Amino acid sequence: MEKKFKKWQDAFKAKGLDPKALPDVSMIPERYRKPQHAQYILSVVVEFLNDDWEADYTDTDQDKWEIWWKVLADNKRKSGFCLSLYCVDRWTTHTAVGVRFAFKNSATARYAATHPDLKKLWEDLYLPYQK
């Protein structure tokens, strides 16, 4: 059965973590803070959704799924202002490109890419800093 949640905080609670205890990033410039928090939160959420499955990068027979994003831009923000799910793709370890978040199957990757509570986190992680 696929693990699901309403809010990302639910994944933290299920893993026995305090969703209010985010890493202290006050010592780094403001523009780098959101990506650091997003990285931590998404790492916990992905681990939860994968049911503690871990990609084995030495196993070329193990499928691993990743999210491919399309960056949407406009005339005001040419470097992008939001992400749109482009596709979910399967890969094995013969790729020369690493991936930050690997998923155990297509359904889990698609769920993480389209969950409304995660959208802002993905954008904070991957898009340029904007005030």
Side-chain angles (χ1 to χ4, degrees):
M1 174 173 230
E2 191 76 23
K3 282 191 172 181
K4 299 194 178 195
F5 56 87
K6 290 185 180 183
K7 298 280 188 188
W8 63 260
Q9 291 89 341
D10 299 336
F12 269 65
K13 291 173 186 171
K15 305 254 334 135
L17 299 170
D18 181 356
K20 294 179 183 174
L22 298 180
D24 178 14
V25 294
S26 62
M27 73 298 285
I28 63 176
E30 184 181 353
R31 68 182 175 275
Y32 303 127
R33 293 177 191 172
K34 282 185 182 180
Q36 295 302 313
H37 282 158
Q39 166 74 34
Y40 173 63
I41 294 167
L42 289 167
S43 294
V44 172
V45 168
V46 169
E47 185 178 275
F48 170 79
L49 290 174
N50 278 330
D51 199 25
D52 295 325
W53 170 90
E54 291 184 24
D56 180 353
Y57 296 103
T58 65
D59 184 355
T60 58
D61 293 324
Q62 180 191 56
D63 289 341
K64 298 143 188 88
W65 294 81
E66 67 180 323
I67 302 167
W68 284 32
W69 299 103
K70 180 178 181 181
V71 177
L72 303 178
D74 61 15
N75 286 333
K76 251 169 60 176
R77 297 169 294 216
K78 296 184 186 306
S79 63
F81 66 93
C82 73
L83 297 174
S84 175
L85 175 63
Y86 177 70
C87 74
V88 172
D89 198 15
R90 176 186 64 87
W91 56 282
T92 59
T93 55
H94 64 270
T95 182
V97 179
V99 64
R100 183 172 287 165
F101 297 109
F103 295 89
K104 64 182 179 178
N105 56 46
S106 175
T108 303
R110 189 168 302 281
Y111 181 80
T114 59
H115 193 286
D117 199 48
L118 300 180
K119 182 177 177 11
K120 178 81 169 91
L121 292 167
W122 291 117
E123 290 173 356
D124 286 349
L125 181 64
Y126 289 124
L127 294 177
Y129 171 75
Q130 294 173 19
K131 291 181 182 180

